[in-house]
Amino acid sequence: MVKYGLDYTRCRWILPLLLGIGVIFGIIALAGRGWLESQTLPYVHQASLWESCRRPEQGGEWTCKSLMGYAWGRAAAATYLVGFILLVICFALAIIAFAIDTLRFNFIRGIGGLLFVAAVFSIMGLVIYPVKFSTEIEMTGINMFSWAYGFGWTTAIMEICLGFFFCCLPNYEDQILGNVKPTYFYSSP
């Protein structure tokens, strides 16, 4: 990518591809039931962003209670969902920006700024959830924040890193578009 720049056909789609992977991770976090799980016997507690499920004993029937009845549950879901929607918008804008033959670098910097805003909303939801869940929901045994919660954090970290990349990319506009004469450090005798 460095040698050929973003004008090179295969490298041009790396950033939208990474945003697409972030969208997939966000979908897994939103739909996953593994935000919180029991770590030790008895395995009686399981929760997602939307509901908390428990069973009286190992092998019993799960009973689920919606977290949307709590103000913090609605706040955590809403802020994470807003961050996810902004990520999807950035993904669509990146596809449009990189599909056009002439890259619009100010447009790319705007995508980076929007990714930072998405990261702020995602992190707010990811912080509200465990703090309020652990204080307001009764838990039995040892519980852990699990794989779906990890996918949520992975999405937020990708939003931050890609935001930096999108914001810094316009600084190298001439090098990327090939408008700079190459400098050679080796001269033949």
Side-chain angles (χ1 to χ4, degrees):
M1 184 170 163
V2 174
K3 182 177 179 184
Y4 297 105
L6 287 179
D7 200 33
Y8 190 54
T9 309
R10 286 180 282 173
C11 294
R12 180 179 209 123
W13 294 103
I14 289 175
L15 291 175
L17 175 68
L18 289 173
L19 279 173
I21 291 170
V23 168
I24 292 169
F25 286 173
I27 291 170
I28 292 171
L30 284 169
R33 293 184 59 96
W35 277 57
L36 181 124
E37 294 178 339
S38 296
Q39 185 176 2
T40 58
L41 285 173
Y43 298 109
V44 295
H45 202 185
Q46 184 180 35
S48 69
L49 181 61
W50 312 103
E51 63 186 4
S52 174
C53 300
R54 56 175 56 252
R55 58 184 172 186
E57 59 191 41
Q58 184 73 20
E61 194 69 30
W62 288 97
T63 57
C64 297
K65 179 181 176 185
S66 175
L67 295 177
M68 298 302 110
Y70 298 96
W72 61 266
R74 291 188 302 271
T79 54
Y80 190 79
L81 197 58
V82 166
F84 176 74
I85 290 169
L86 289 174
L87 177 64
V88 171
I89 291 170
C90 288
F91 176 63
L93 291 175
I95 288 177
I96 293 168
F98 286 99
I100 299 170
D101 287 334
T102 306
L103 286 172
R104 305 283 183 199
F105 282 93
N106 290 335
F107 188 56
I108 291 174
R109 188 169 277 153
I111 294 171
L114 197 57
L115 280 169
F116 284 124
V117 173
V120 167
F121 277 104
S122 297
I123 290 171
M124 284 185 344
L126 289 166
V127 169
I128 291 170
Y129 183 84
V131 169
K132 298 305 281 181
F133 192 98
S134 60
T135 59
E136 294 195 19
I137 303 292
E138 179 187 342
M139 294 189 277
T140 307
I142 298 173
N143 296 284
M144 65 177 177
F145 291 97
S146 191
W147 59 272
Y149 186 68
F151 273 106
W153 273 107
T154 304
T155 302
I157 291 168
M158 286 182 76
E159 289 168 346
I160 293 169
C161 294
L162 288 169
F164 276 116
F165 198 77
F166 271 93
C167 285
C168 293
L169 193 61
N171 295 339
Y172 303 98
E173 178 177 1
D174 290 332
Q175 288 88 349
I176 291 169
L177 295 177
N179 297 334
V180 175
K181 185 177 177 181
T183 305
Y184 298 103
F185 296 106
Y186 175 77
S187 60
S188 60

